[in-house]
Amino acid sequence: MIPTIHRQGSSTFGLLRYLYGKGTHEEHVDPHLVASFDHMAPDPGRDPSATKKDLAYLLDQPLHLLDEDQRPEKHVWHCSVRAAPDDPILTDEQWADIARRIVAATGIDPGDGAGCRWAAVRHADDHIHIIATLVREDGRRPDHHRSGKRAQTEARLIEADYDLHRVTPGDGTAAKRTTSAERHKAERQGRDRTAREELRETVRRAVAGAASTEEFLDRLKDAGLLVRTKVLPSGDLKGYTVALPDDRNGDKEPIFYAGSTLAPDLSLPRIQQRFTTDSAPVEAAASERPERPTAPSAPAAARRTTAHAAWAALLVLDHSGDDGAAAAQIAATGEVLDALARTSALHTRNELRQAAWEFERASRSHTRAEFRHAQDLRRAARDLVYSGPTFGRGEDGATTAMAIDMVFFLVSAAAHWHARRQHAQQAEAARRAAEHLRAAYRQAAAEPLTVLRERGRRIAPSLRRHHATTVRAALPDLAEAVLAEPGWDALVATLADATRAGHNPQPLLAEAATRRELDTADSISDVLVWRLRRIADLPVYVPATTQASRITDRQAMAPRLATPSASRAPRR
């Protein structure tokens, strides 16, 4: 149940005219009163002899206790209370009880016999509107400070008492919720999202991996937004505003939004905190991995970089006691998701976009992010943006699956990190993002895993038995589950590739299994495939060929104990 305190108004009659009217899209059905301050207020909806002016006059009577120059200009308090879509339809009596609890909790009518005059109007099954005059019966002003937060607290109790959908408590770090007027305007214009939401997504994508304020502002312009900047007398940039070219007001002028009104972390000072270079680039394992004869494409290389950076960030979330460093890794994860959504193939783009959209809430909390600890992830996001889009086939598509697989674990770790700190909304948002990533992974991994499984099925039975022995030795507790999975064929092909590249598969497999828990994996063998190919720097997309499939038992079972060499060629 969501109570929303709206901006204070100056016309009681004007708000009543809207509440008892047909609505913007004829959505108001049977407007009527469900409760009032004295249980006897006239109801213009169902009493033919009552008018909206009668009700407005009754509510405004306490104003006349004050001299005209003492009457507040903005004296109309307005709160809407909406049930969740999956909640049962409540009766008028239940909504009346809810209205009384809300006005009591917010200080509008605390039950002392001299509270404000108010009325609750219902014109739909799922919500009510409460209107009140902000002058008490004794002529004093009500104590309704922080009424929004107090209403939210009471709503949590109402949900428990009525067995309604439990809304996750907020902490004041969420982006500003869109208004009904903005939603109706988006519907009229045929937009999927409101202008505010579109701008927020576009600005976040412009932030992903940006290294300077100039680059960030250039990206906004390249994305087609109208951009205005505010400069201090010193010449320093103070802030920025953005607008969609076709989002206009009644005077046909663009409607600009400041970054801070889109989301708390999109103000210019908060964005500039990301542009730090205190942390030197980490060439993680680059000198330890053999170079492949054929260099990957730029999108594929960027996705491999992303997978390595995500693994390093995951270690920080799991083992670091520095909350500022962990918060920075989580915020930078949002940049990586935005960059993946922007550059990945069409068949995965929608799920990745939804994952980035959901994770936006998880990327922001009261913990101050120390971005000098997250530059590797930010550089990975930058590489993704500047490597260009991928069509999702071959090595590009396979490395996309590899990156999504690792980012999925990173997002899951972020959900656990937030949950341990009672960041309820952030934890729930991360879990929703993980589900979209799971769906995106399935779409991205389908083709490369099919290719690997086909290759694995062509491997000689004696060699398959040899690799099964390797799995039992390296993973005694997981071996039987792995060998029974459909993905075992892809793992066989991967172990064969690792052997041919000069690796000892048993310790390599043991290392891959210990890098992260496997209990939540849909397919343990598939997860091990991506880990092995990332750790050993193996090509991810290797179609079956006649030569590649003709590996003799002696060659495959020969010990591979030497250190991998960059110049080593596949042995036949």
Side-chain angles (χ1 to χ4, degrees):
M1 179 161 289
I2 301 294
T4 303
I5 308 297
H6 301 272
R7 187 177 301 173
Q8 294 178 17
S10 57
S11 173
T12 301
F13 176 73
L15 180 55
L16 287 175
R17 186 169 53 186
Y18 166 75
L19 297 179
Y20 279 96
K22 295 181 178 180
T24 309
H25 296 279
E26 305 288 331
E27 72 272 21
H28 295 178
V29 179
D30 186 24
H32 61 281
L33 210 67
V34 294
S36 66
F37 68 100
D38 63 353
H39 309 283
M40 295 183 294
D43 182 5
R46 292 187 173 175
D47 183 355
S49 63
T51 67
K52 292 183 279 292
K53 286 186 177 181
D54 294 335
L55 180 55
Y57 178 77
L58 179 67
L59 295 177
D60 282 347
Q61 274 187 347
L63 288 174
H64 301 292
L65 296 174
L66 305 175
D67 294 334
E68 287 193 19
D69 59 344
Q70 295 180 338
R71 297 173 188 174
E73 180 183 356
K74 302 288 186 180
H75 66 271
V76 181
W77 185 84
H78 176 203
C79 173
S80 59
V81 186
R82 186 176 298 272
D86 53 348
D87 281 339
I89 296 177
L90 302 177
T91 65
D92 282 354
E93 291 73 18
Q94 290 171 320
W95 276 119
D97 176 59
I98 291 170
R100 284 188 285 269
R101 292 178 62 168
I102 292 293
V103 295
T106 54
I108 296 299
D109 189 1
D112 58 359
C116 298
R117 294 191 176 190
W118 60 272
V121 178
R122 182 181 188 182
H123 55 210
D125 287 337
D126 62 348
H127 70 279
I128 59 171
H129 292 263
I130 306 173
I131 177 174
T133 299
L134 291 175
V135 175
R136 290 165 46 93
E137 296 280 10
D138 56 11
R140 295 187 293 116
R141 300 295 301 275
D143 177 16
H144 65 108
H145 178 62
R146 298 179 67 83
S147 59
K149 186 173 184 179
R150 290 153 70 176
Q152 293 289 348
T153 301
E154 185 64 25
R156 304 294 82 78
L157 300 176
I158 292 171
E159 291 162 358
D161 292 344
Y162 281 91
D163 194 23
L164 303 176
H165 174 80
R166 305 293 179 88
V167 175
T168 307
D171 61 359
T173 62
K176 183 178 179 181
R177 189 175 288 121
T178 57
T179 66
S180 58
E182 290 174 336
R183 291 192 296 271
H184 292 324
K185 183 177 181 180
E187 292 174 5
R188 292 195 304 271
Q189 295 176 342
R191 299 180 186 274
D192 294 333
R193 291 174 176 168
T194 65
R196 182 190 301 275
E197 291 169 327
E198 285 190 32
L199 288 169
R200 185 163 72 240
E201 182 178 50
T202 305
V203 172
R204 294 193 72 86
R205 288 189 176 186
V207 172
S212 67
T213 304
E214 293 73 18
E215 180 183 5
F216 164 65
L217 294 175
D218 287 342
R219 287 189 185 184
L220 293 179
K221 296 171 185 175
D222 291 342
L225 300 187
L226 302 178
V227 182
R228 289 178 178 172
T229 56
K230 184 178 293 186
V231 181
L232 296 171
S234 62
D236 295 330
L237 195 62
K238 180 181 179 181
Y240 72 98
T241 58
V242 289
L244 295 174
D246 56 349
D247 183 34
R248 306 271 171 163
N249 59 21
D251 296 327
K252 306 302 181 183
E253 297 174 340
I255 302 176
F256 282 86
Y257 294 80
S260 58
T261 65
L262 299 177
D265 58 340
L266 294 183
S267 67
L268 187 61
R270 295 282 296 275
I271 289 174
Q272 289 173 328
Q273 291 175 4
R274 302 175 185 240
F275 305 150
T276 175
T277 56
D278 292 347
S279 175
V282 178
E283 300 296 338
S287 60
E288 303 172 6
R289 297 192 304 268
E291 295 181 3
R292 280 176 274 113
T294 304
S297 67
R303 280 152 177 75
R304 282 184 176 273
T305 299
T306 299
H308 287 291
W311 164 246
L314 197 153
L315 291 180
V316 173
L317 295 187
D318 279 350
H319 305 299
S320 173
D322 187 341
D323 280 4
Q329 300 291 356
I330 293 173
T333 300
E335 295 189 40
V336 167
L337 286 172
D338 283 319
L340 278 173
R342 176 178 172 181
T343 60
S344 291
L346 185 61
H347 67 290
T348 59
R349 191 175 304 160
N350 184 60
E351 291 293 349
L352 288 173
R353 184 187 182 194
Q354 290 299 320
W357 182 260
E358 294 289 358
F359 195 76
E360 182 266 344
R361 181 67 188 93
S363 66
R364 188 173 53 251
S365 69
H366 284 300
T367 304
R368 179 183 174 87
E370 299 290 344
F371 280 99
R372 66 180 182 275
H373 298 291
Q375 292 307 300
D376 290 337
L377 267 183
R378 296 204 70 245
R379 274 188 289 270
R382 183 182 182 84
D383 289 346
L384 288 169
V385 171
Y386 285 102
S387 67
T390 173
F391 295 106
R393 296 188 295 270
E395 186 77 1
D396 288 1
T399 50
T400 296
M402 173 191 285
I404 294 173
D405 174 74
M406 185 54 67
V407 173
F408 167 81
F409 282 104
L410 178 55
V411 167
S412 299
H416 293 309
W417 187 88
H418 279 305
R420 289 195 301 269
R421 286 154 182 79
Q422 284 77 51
H423 300 167
Q425 284 194 353
Q426 290 88 340
E428 179 59 29
R431 284 190 284 267
R432 291 195 301 268
E435 289 306 309
H436 286 293
L437 284 173
R438 192 189 297 272
Y441 164 78
R442 290 170 180 158
Q443 296 164 344
E447 182 187 7
L449 286 179
T450 298
V451 170
L452 283 173
R453 290 172 184 175
E454 178 62 25
R455 287 185 56 223
R457 285 190 286 268
R458 295 186 181 185
I459 292 176
S462 56
L463 181 55
R464 289 170 63 89
R465 289 193 296 271
H466 170 70
H467 287 308
T469 301
T470 299
V471 172
R472 290 189 176 96
L475 313 173
D477 297 332
L478 299 173
E480 298 310 315
V482 170
L483 296 175
E485 290 180 343
W488 162 238
D489 294 326
L491 185 56
V492 168
T494 299
L495 291 172
D497 289 344
T499 303
R500 292 173 60 233
H503 294 279
N504 187 341
Q506 183 173 324
L508 195 68
L509 187 59
E511 178 188 357
T514 57
R515 287 211 162 191
R516 181 70 184 174
E517 57 84 19
L518 294 166
D519 297 337
T520 59
D522 291 340
S523 170
I524 298 174
S525 51
D526 287 354
V527 173
L528 292 174
V529 163
W530 300 121
R531 291 185 186 177
L532 286 171
R533 292 189 171 274
R534 182 177 61 82
I535 296 170
D537 200 31
L538 300 172
V540 186
Y541 188 84
V542 186
T545 63
T546 302
Q547 289 183 335
S549 60
R550 289 177 181 173
I551 304 175
T552 65
D553 293 352
R554 174 180 294 181
Q555 291 169 329
M557 294 185 214
R560 298 289 192 263
L561 302 180
T563 303
S565 170
S567 59
R568 183 187 301 274
R571 297 175 61 184
R572 295 183 175 83

